[in-house]
Amino acid sequence: MGIGTSIFLIALGAILTFAVEASIGGVNIDVVGWILMAAGVLGLILTALLWGRRRESVATTEQPVEYRRVEESRDVAPPR
């Protein structure tokens, strides 16, 4: 779940919890809103943790196998 999806779930849950006054038979819309907000917050936390791990740098101690010297040769004399 990405950051955008998490924020969308939080916003949708807040709308259902605080702004909607309708009732559906057998479904409490306030509870659905709280569940969506909790899922959004959990997704936001997990996404932040995964992004933090992804940004860690890995240091290697191995040296390159060999160094090569590159020399440039010109067949034409440089301009005066």
Side-chain angles (χ1 to χ4, degrees), residues 3 5 8 18-20 22 26 30 32 34 36 43 48-49 54 67 70 77:
I3 294 174
T5 306
F8 175 74
F18 302 117
V20 175
D30 289 340
V32 172
W34 283 108
L36 287 175
L49 290 175
R54 191 179 300 173
Y67 289 100
V70 178

Side-chain angles (χ1 to χ4, degrees), residues 15-56:
I15 290 170
L16 289 177
T17 301
F18 302 117
V20 175
E21 303 246 349
S23 62
I24 300 174
V27 177
N28 189 346
I29 294 191
D30 289 340
V31 173
V32 172
W34 283 108
I35 291 171
L36 287 175
M37 284 192 291
V41 169
L42 183 64
L44 196 61
I45 291 170
L46 290 176
T47 302
L49 290 175
L50 290 177
W51 275 87
R53 285 186 183 164
R54 191 179 300 173
R55 293 180 186 211
E56 290 179 0

Side-chain angles (χ1 to χ4, degrees), residues 7 12 19 38 45 57 59 61-62 67 77:
I7 292 173
L12 182 64
I45 291 170
S57 62
T61 58
E62 297 178 16
Y67 289 100

